[in-house]
Amino acid sequence: MASPPSSSTSADPAAPPPRSSWVILGSIPRVVQGRGAGAEAADLSLALAAPPRVSRLTVSQRVFSARPTAKNFPFVLAADTSGLLLLSAILAAPPNRVDIDRPGKQSFHWSFSDPRFFVLDATTGSALRLPDPHPQETIEHQGLLGVIACPGGGGRYMVAELVPIFGSDEATLRCYSSDLGEWVDKRVRYPLPARPLSPICTLAHYGRLWWVDYSWGILTADPFVDNPVLRFVPLPRPCLLEYREAHGVLDEFRYVGVSSGKLRFVNTYRRGRRGPAPNKVTVWTLPNADATEWTLEHEATFADIWADASYKATGLPKKVPVLALIHPNNPAVVYFFLKDHLFGVDVRARKVVECDRYHLVAPPRGYPIASRFVRAWELPRAVSSGPENWSTDVSSSEPTEAAPYRPMPGDYDLVGMSRMAAPYP
């Protein structure tokens, strides 16, 4: 096989590892069994590698106290440029009836797990377990939970979960402030009463949180104000899908992220996936944080990408790849998974610019890889400048106690179980 256009592998094993201002972080961390010394005594440690290799997070048993299994394992929900990581650590538990008795809300549900959520600080190696929002209540949907650094910095942050009341024009924004050390409920007007969200992730951008539904659009609000206002930004008109269309697999074909200071939407999904229309990748841009219309910025067919010498040099087959993420500093470059490779494509130039094998702590088996398994993470200076965070052997396969993850299509255990406040009409 011919050499790929570029690779992060150094020819000199003694050479220091190449560094980058950002990394591709694997969403499933390694869990240290037992308490060791040095770095392993901390709540977390990093083994960073320059893209397109995948960097690795390791957490202590204090963060995830059980042995990971196929259904219960730690998972990075968000990676903030301040160095904060939002992590779910849901442990298995015997069935337990949970009764909720709050003003205006009397109900019960059965719990089969012990949900725990942490804010990890990569600059200090520490982890804070978040308290439950209310007695006998925990986070309802991981895909609607986000973290954002406070405007003043200093390690201060806000964690917020959007809790819609489907079929109603009201919702609750649960906000945990590191300053207060407790949750505060803020009532908000919900602008989408007729259709529930299918959330996949929550992003922090421009001082706001953005709750993303790959089939429909994005809700956004400023969680720091006393009276937040939810605003809806629909996806580009040609990309709107019906409710539950391609449910559970859309993050193989779609991605929303921040690149060069703007929100970008990358799409490779084609309805029916048959017929004369070519398979292609499109990159859309939201011009500013208050806009509601997207601009098509870059577009290329996969046939044109395959025809270029840079793709032929990778030795990869002419097969539509799985979408991974967008370069956080160059919106023309999009990354894809194919077989055991992760490669970057300059969509504007229709050329492969990076290619290397990737390794994950607990790769899925019997189910396609998807963008949920990695996070584009712009590193704060304190993390990127730390030589102990960079590794030359991060690409080697790590033994893991986690059993292979085997979800069925439509299974969103990786982003949590959704408990609707009201049935969808």
Side-chain angles (χ1 to χ4, degrees):
M1 182 177 86
S3 298
S6 68
S7 172
S8 56
T9 303
S10 172
D12 181 4
R19 300 185 187 182
S20 169
S21 64
W22 74 284
V23 295
I24 301 172
L25 182 68
S27 297
I28 301 178
R30 180 171 170 257
V31 178
V32 173
Q33 299 298 326
R35 290 192 173 273
E40 290 193 342
D43 288 322
L44 66 100
S45 62
L46 294 166
L48 302 179
R53 294 166 73 183
V54 177
S55 297
R56 182 179 61 238
L57 170 69
T58 298
V59 298
S60 70
Q61 278 194 304
R62 193 185 78 82
V63 174
F64 196 84
S65 58
R67 196 172 290 271
T69 69
K71 278 290 186 182
N72 298 95
F73 48 88
F75 189 74
V76 176
L77 300 174
D80 190 75
T81 57
S82 63
L84 299 176
L85 300 171
L86 183 60
L87 182 105
S88 70
I90 299 179
L91 306 178
N96 177 47
R97 174 172 164 148
V98 179
D99 292 289
I100 299 173
D101 186 8
R102 295 175 57 203
K105 185 175 184 180
Q106 290 77 36
S107 64
F108 76 91
H109 66 272
W110 288 95
S111 174
F112 301 89
S113 62
D114 179 9
R116 304 177 181 187
F117 296 87
F118 290 82
V119 175
L120 311 181
D121 189 337
T123 64
T124 63
S126 63
L128 172 74
R129 180 180 173 182
L130 296 171
D132 290 339
H134 297 285
Q136 299 182 324
E137 285 192 50
T138 185
I139 302 301
E140 295 195 16
H141 200 304
Q142 296 178 57
L144 291 172
L145 187 71
V147 63
I148 183 170
C150 291
R156 298 158 52 242
Y157 59 85
M158 176 86 75
V159 174
E161 182 196 14
L162 178 63
V163 185
I165 303 174
F166 301 132
S168 168
D169 62 355
E170 293 184 346
T172 300
L173 191 59
R174 293 170 167 173
C175 299
Y176 175 88
S177 166
S178 61
D179 290 338
L180 295 177
E182 61 182 23
W183 293 87
V184 174
D185 284 357
K186 301 179 181 182
R187 304 299 294 179
V188 294
R189 181 184 176 277
Y190 187 67
L192 304 172
R195 170 176 165 175
L197 288 178
S198 297
I200 185 65
C201 65
T202 302
L203 306 174
H205 172 55
Y206 208 73
R208 302 176 185 172
L209 287 175
W210 303 71
W211 293 272
V212 181
D213 178 339
Y214 283 164
S215 70
W216 195 19
I218 307 170
L219 282 166
T220 181
D222 180 352
F224 296 106
V225 299
D226 292 334
N227 298 296
V229 176
L230 277 178
R231 185 170 58 84
F232 183 63
V233 181
L235 294 180
R237 289 184 182 87
C239 305
L240 295 176
L241 302 180
E242 298 295 329
Y243 176 60
R244 298 188 68 85
E245 182 176 348
H247 178 70
V249 299
L250 269 180
D251 64 338
E252 296 175 41
F253 309 100
R254 292 185 166 185
Y255 180 84
V256 172
V258 178
S259 178
S260 192
K262 295 182 179 180
L263 211 62
R264 318 283 177 164
F265 168 58
V266 187
N267 182 47
T268 65
Y269 182 75
R270 182 161 65 91
R271 277 183 152 157
R273 307 179 203 173
R274 297 178 182 273
N279 287 296
K280 62 183 179 180
V281 53
T282 55
V283 179
W284 302 77
T285 299
L286 198 65
N288 57 71
D290 296 319
T292 56
E293 296 287 338
W294 301 77
T295 300
L296 179 59
E297 191 164 2
H298 305 297
E299 182 177 22
T301 67
F302 283 107
D304 286 342
I305 296 169
W306 296 332
D308 192 83
S310 62
Y311 188 88
K312 295 176 181 177
T314 66
L316 294 171
K318 294 180 179 180
K319 181 180 178 181
V320 176
V322 171
L323 183 57
L325 50 91
I326 192 170
H327 195 298
N329 301 315
N330 185 350
V333 176
V334 176
Y335 288 81
F336 297 93
F337 296 108
L338 185 58
K339 299 183 71 174
D340 55 355
H341 282 72
L342 184 58
F343 64 97
V345 173
D346 187 321
V347 178
R348 179 173 48 202
R350 295 162 173 76
K351 292 181 179 295
V352 176
V353 293
E354 290 182 309
C355 182
D356 204 347
R357 293 179 182 273
Y358 72 88
H359 299 267
L360 300 174
V361 169
R365 303 286 174 86
Y367 186 78
I369 194 76
S371 60
R372 74 183 84 165
F373 288 95
V374 290
R375 306 289 175 192
W377 187 21
E378 286 196 86
L379 301 172
R381 184 177 297 275
V383 175
S384 62
S385 62
E388 71 280 1
N389 293 332
W390 296 88
S391 174
T392 56
D393 65 349
V394 73
S395 64
S396 61
S397 296
E398 283 284 336
T400 175
E401 300 297 335
Y405 180 64
R406 297 186 180 92
M408 298 296 291
D411 183 349
Y412 266 77
D413 283 350
L414 275 174
V415 294
M417 302 298 290
S418 179
R419 181 160 59 87
M420 294 184 182
Y424 178 54

